[in-house]
Amino acid sequence: MKLSFSNQSLMCFSVYLLLSISSCGEEFLDRQPIDQISVDNFYRTESDLESGILGAYTALQSQQYFGEGWRIDETPSDDSRQNYGSAVDNFSVTAGSGEVSSYWSGRYRLVTLANVMIDRAPAAAEASPEVIDQVVAEARFLRAVAYYDLVRIFGAVPLITQSPSLDQDLLYPRATTEEIYALIKEDLAAAAATLPAERDMGRATNGAARAYLASVHLTLREYTDARDRALEVINSGRYSLMPDYGD
């Protein structure tokens, strides 16, 4: 069966098509994505900052972090052992092994997410200065935790303190261990001075920052500072040992 249009029908269709095309101005064609959140439109409100910092915590929940981190942290020690004779356990691991790659990328993911919050939060126009300061302090705590892991396992590593952008050179040189530890102590000191003593379970507090600082000083054999930070935690009265070690 053949279909045909009359001249009048064809003319009407042409006029409709012309009007449709002419109505597609710049406003119609240049639209913001509606299926995702743009970085430029985010980090404005206190709710945005809360969502952003909680997003940074997701790096700690990944398999790359605490899920498999023990394979690098603990397996080479006497505290644990992998019964199938892993390369880490036998001290024959290489830089290209899966455990090493996972450990590295998991911690730099946390560094990246923390840097985004540190860079973006201060410009949140609809957030109070108190909320901004607390979010930045929390992000600095998380960044310090990541670098503390990295420097103890790898030594000199790239020291990245800015959120990534397309115009950056991503081939960062290694920083010295002294520079890395200096940033860790600076971040933790800022977190200890700003974060509250009590938070929702799982969130960073000033006590957690001081406890990490005590550990950092102990690692560097700065025993007096380690003692002082540890005593701040102990004497706060907010923490105690479990009555039974087995618990």
Side-chain angles (χ1 to χ4, degrees):
M1 177 180 180
K2 294 184 178 180
L3 296 178
S4 61
F5 290 97
S6 65
N7 290 337
Q8 184 177 3
S9 298
L10 185 59
M11 182 178 294
C12 290
F13 177 75
S14 300
V15 171
Y16 172 78
L17 183 61
L18 180 62
L19 291 175
S20 299
I21 295 174
S22 63
S23 66
C24 297
E26 291 185 5
E27 184 178 347
F28 179 82
L29 296 175
D30 186 14
R31 302 186 64 182
Q32 294 294 329
I34 60 176
D35 62 337
Q36 58 185 325
I37 299 175
S38 170
V39 173
D40 294 332
N41 294 329
F42 200 60
Y43 306 112
R44 293 183 177 180
T45 68
E46 293 182 1
S47 177
D48 292 344
L49 297 185
E50 178 71 3
S51 297
I53 195 64
L54 289 178
Y57 274 96
T58 61
L60 296 173
Q61 299 174 318
S62 71
Q63 190 72 9
Q64 291 176 314
Y65 214 99
F66 287 126
E68 295 180 348
W70 66 273
R71 297 168 69 181
I72 298 295
D73 293 332
E74 300 293 337
T75 300
S77 71
D78 294 330
D79 294 334
S80 64
R81 182 175 179 82
Q82 291 182 269
N83 58 10
Y84 51 86
S86 74
V88 178
D89 205 7
N90 295 329
F91 297 96
S92 58
V93 68
T94 64
S97 71
E99 297 99 325
V100 174
S101 175
S102 181
Y103 194 96
W104 176 280
S105 59
R107 276 138 190 87
Y108 270 111
R109 178 170 178 259
L110 178 56
V111 168
T112 299
L113 295 175
N115 282 340
V116 169
M117 295 306 302
I118 294 168
D119 287 348
R120 295 280 180 173
E126 301 174 34
S128 68
E130 293 77 15
V131 170
I132 291 174
D133 289 345
Q134 184 167 301
V135 166
V136 171
E138 199 165 1
R140 293 186 71 174
F141 172 87
L142 294 174
R143 182 171 68 180
V145 169
Y147 273 123
Y148 190 35
D149 284 345
L150 287 166
V151 72
R152 286 181 295 169
I153 296 300
F154 299 105
V157 296
L159 192 61
I160 305 171
T161 58
Q162 294 180 330
S163 55
S165 63
L166 295 177
D167 58 349
Q168 283 181 337
D169 182 1
L170 298 181
L171 298 177
Y172 290 91
R174 286 185 171 188
T176 65
T177 56
E178 290 79 11
E179 290 172 325
I180 298 165
Y181 273 113
L183 178 69
I184 292 170
K185 289 193 283 189
E186 183 182 325
D187 279 349
L188 290 175
T194 306
L195 291 175
E198 294 184 358
R199 302 288 304 281
D200 295 335
M201 184 174 293
R203 301 285 291 272
T205 62
N206 58 28
R210 291 190 178 99
Y212 259 99
L213 261 176
S215 178
V216 170
H217 287 306
L218 190 61
T219 299
L220 296 175
R221 299 184 179 182
E222 299 168 349
Y223 298 123
T224 301
D225 289 330
R227 178 202 61 194
D228 293 344
R229 299 294 81 74
L231 285 175
E232 288 175 355
V233 177
I234 295 169
N235 295 336
S236 69
R238 297 183 180 277
Y239 308 97
S240 60
L241 299 177
M242 297 292 290
D244 189 341
Y245 179 81
D247 295 335

